[in-house]
Amino acid sequence: DAGVIQSPRHEVTEMGQEVTLRCKPISGHNSLFWYRQTMMRGLELLIYFNNNVPIDDSGMPEDRFSAKMPNASFSTLKIQPSEPRDSAVYFCASSPGDSPNYGYTFGSGTRLTVV
Amino acid sequence: AQSVTQLGSHVSVSEGALVLLRCNYSSSVPPYLFWYVQYPNQGLQLLLKYTTGATLVKGINGFEAEFKKSETSFHLTKPSAHMSDAAEYFCAVTLNNAGNMLTFGGGTRLMVKP
């Protein structure tokens, strides 16, 4: 299994531009999570999908952020317009079920820099 | 609400010394507890987990953790540190009535001196 695949690994963009981060979960996993990691705030859960349906998006910082999961094998996190304070590492994680017993498998992350 | 506190954002040990990383949680119901490790420029990897049963849990790379309900703790230990253990370690908790949502602690960066 290739694990959770995120793209791109690095993204540098100018303030005001649209940014799209992509995630392919492990096949058969039906829970998907987007996290943001910064030095100041640590790991923050942005949104949680189960069976492609958003269950909890209370961590999405503001309307500039949106996430979709059109099918079981693909999810996107979009920031429009981007701002320098959005600079962070964004992680996608997946889990085989909606039970807390399983734990998560994380992707390698996308390092976003907004200049 | 659940929360996780990791005491010490940085811990430094000598190679061969005991590693002890502290984690305390708050929860009004039995928790599920996890330790993850993050190496530089990588995602988080599961080290070990406690769900039910035996309170002493063994994980990968020689790490273990003990769930102590009376102390609301889940400290991570390893008898002898290796240079390759240098990384950031995260404790996480979820509740059986919180679906599958993990709450992470702030992380502890472990440094291993030769």
Side-chain angles (χ1 to χ4, degrees):
Chain A
D1 196 325
V4 176
I5 300 173
Q6 291 187 246
S7 64
R9 286 297 308 272
H10 302 273
E11 177 80 38
V12 180
T13 190
E14 292 185 348
M15 183 174 62
Q17 296 298 306
E18 177 180 297
V19 175
T20 300
L21 311 181
R22 296 171 175 80
C23 175
K24 177 179 169 57
I26 291 174
S27 177
H29 283 196
N30 60 4
S31 292
L32 184 140
F33 308 82
W34 282 100
Y35 280 87
R36 178 171 67 177
Q37 186 178 37
T38 61
M39 290 291 291
M40 292 298 295
R41 301 172 71 91
L43 271 167
E44 303 173 275
L45 175 65
L46 300 178
I47 189 167
Y48 159 37
F49 291 89
N50 186 249
N51 292 323
N52 312 337
V53 176
I55 303 300
D56 189 327
D57 65 355
S58 59
M60 296 286 264
E62 47 197 278
D63 291 346
R64 298 185 297 108
F65 285 69
S66 62
K68 295 182 179 180
M69 192 164 185
N71 57 61
S73 59
F74 184 64
S75 177
T76 59
L77 177 68
K78 185 178 294 185
I79 308 172
Q80 165 64 17
S82 58
E83 297 182 3
R85 60 193 169 117
D86 302 330
S87 297
V89 181
Y90 291 80
F91 287 103
C92 176
S94 69
S95 179
D98 59 1
S99 162
N101 186 47
Y102 297 110
Y104 300 172
T105 301
F106 281 80
S108 297
T110 295
R111 183 174 296 276
L112 173 65
T113 303
V114 183
V115 298
Chain B
Q2 60 197 43
S3 68
V4 181
T5 302
Q6 292 183 240
L7 289 176
S9 59
H10 292 79
V11 170
S12 181
V13 300
S14 297
E15 192 173 19
L18 171 72
V19 176
L20 170 61
L21 304 182
R22 299 178 186 274
C23 173
N24 288 87
Y25 67 91
S26 66
S27 170
S28 58
V29 298
Y32 292 69
L33 296 156
F34 304 80
W35 275 99
Y36 284 82
V37 59
Q38 184 179 30
Y39 298 103
N41 300 314
Q42 295 186 26
L44 282 71
Q45 302 173 34
L46 181 64
L47 263 183
L48 49 80
K49 63 181 179 181
Y50 168 80
T51 55
T52 58
T55 56
L56 182 61
V57 181
K58 295 185 185 299
I60 61 173
N61 301 338
F63 284 92
E64 60 183 36
E66 186 171 12
F67 169 54
K68 292 187 176 180
K69 183 178 178 181
S70 61
E71 299 177 8
T72 61
S73 69
F74 191 57
H75 301 331
L76 182 70
T77 60
K78 182 174 180 177
S80 176
H82 295 167
M83 296 297 291
S84 59
D85 294 327
E88 188 150 18
Y89 292 80
F90 293 90
C91 183
V93 62
T94 191
L95 307 176
N96 58 16
N97 63 354
N100 198 6
M101 291 171 54
L102 284 178
T103 298
F104 284 88
T108 297
R109 184 168 299 279
L110 176 66
M111 295 166 283
V112 183
K113 298 175 292 187

